Every structure is written in structure tokens, then in C-alpha cells.
Amino acid sequence: SQNTLGISVTTLRKVASPIRKELRQAQEMAHALAAELWASGIHEAKQLAVMLEVPSLVIRWQMDAWTADVDSWDVCDALAMDLWDRTPYAVEKAVEWSARDEEFVKRCAFAMMASLAFKRHDLPDEAYESFFVLIKEQATDERNFVKKAVNWALRQIGKRNERLLARAIEIAREIESMDSRSARWIAKDALRELLPKLP
């Protein structure tokens, strides 16, 4: 990633915290500041933008634009797990982006599925059932950042409850039989974690 200042995420969080408090009653201002920070193109400014952005003010085209602009896994994961997963469009975008070719857009889709499984207790099992289809479809992508996110989504969904655990194991077995090195790795790694959790 270019335009990097070398500031740690811990330091950025310390910077973000008082600004967030200050802008809690001025969400439009926080939203505008986040947009300016992102537009700077500086790596740490993008991370700060994710920390300051207001999920309820995020709109679809912004999600598409910012995600298309990502060039590093850490900003990708921050977007997926600290911002996009809290918007009303999270499920819709995870489904849409899972079929995209760009490495970080696709990673963002599966990282968001993993994050939703971990944090969004309001979503029904059916939402995660639909993710299994996409996980299986994209399991043959050999790119490291994609492969790891697909695996992550499968494991995290399987940990939600017993029903989804049984289904995740079933899907992992199907993926394991695919003629793809990536698929076999995803399945084996997921099964290693999920099988011991069976009741």
C-alpha cells in the first residue's frame, strides 16, 4: 500500500476517540470529515475515516466507492468489520461483492459475512444459509486474501448455533471434494475447528 505514514492502529484509535465524542451530536460533521479523510488517499487517514464514519449515514454508492478503492487487507477488514457490517445494506453488499473479481472487494464480502456471524444476533439463520452457497461458489479462488476470508466466513457462521454448525460441516465436506487446492485447504482448516464443536 502506498501513501503510508507508519502510524499504528492503536495510536489512530486514541486520536479517533475524543473526535468521536466531540462529534457525537454532530453526525453530519463526522460523516463529512470521514469523507475528506478517505479522499486524501493516505492509508492511516482511511483507517481514521472508518473509525469516525457514522454507519446510519452510509449509503450504497459510498460502500461501493470506498471498497473499490481499497488496496490493503487491513483497511479492507476494518471496513468490513467495523463499519459496513453495521449498515442496513450489509447482507445485500456481502452477497453482491462475493461475485466480484477484485481481490479486496471479494475479501470484503466474506470478511463481512464472518463479522455478521459474530456480531449481528438479529439476523435469522436463513441469511447465513444463503452465504453458504456463495462460500461454496468462491472456494476455488486461489488468492490468499480471498481464500482466507472464505474460510473465515465458513468457520464463523458454523460457530453461531448447532443448526448452522451441522450445515457448515456439511458444506465443508462438499468443498473438500472439489478439485481445487484452495477449496481443500478451506475445508480442512474449517473442519479442524468445527468438528470438535459437535455436541
Side-chain angles (χ1 to χ4, degrees), residues 93-131:
K93 286 298 171 189
V95 171
E96 184 187 322
W97 294 340
S98 71
R100 290 275 289 276
D101 287 331
E102 304 96 315
E103 187 170 10
F104 288 118
V105 176
K106 190 173 280 196
R107 179 183 173 90
C108 194
F110 290 100
M112 191 156 40
M113 290 178 201
S115 187
L116 289 169
F118 181 61
K119 293 196 279 193
R120 287 283 296 275
H121 303 297
D122 57 313
L123 289 178
D125 283 1
E126 288 69 36
Y128 298 103
E129 285 281 355
S130 68
F131 290 160

Side-chain angles (χ1 to χ4, degrees), residues 37 58 98 117 120 124 138-139 154:
L37 286 164
V58 166
S98 71
R120 287 283 296 275
Q138 302 302 329
L154 179 58

Side-chain angles (χ1 to χ4, degrees), residues 11-67:
T11 304
L12 289 170
R13 286 208 177 103
K14 284 178 185 161
V15 171
S17 186
I19 300 173
R20 261 207 307 258
K21 283 194 185 105
E22 194 72 32
L23 294 178
R24 197 160 282 151
Q25 303 308 316
Q27 293 195 331
E28 291 288 351
M29 205 181 290
H31 180 58
L33 177 57
E36 275 184 52
L37 286 164
W38 188 274
S40 74
I42 296 165
H43 184 81
E44 289 84 353
K46 287 180 176 179
Q47 290 177 308
L48 200 52
V50 174
M51 294 172 190
L52 296 176
E53 181 57 289
V54 182
S56 60
L57 296 182
V58 166
I59 54 176
R60 286 183 179 89
W61 75 257
Q62 176 193 351
M63 292 177 77
D64 289 326
W66 284 24
T67 306

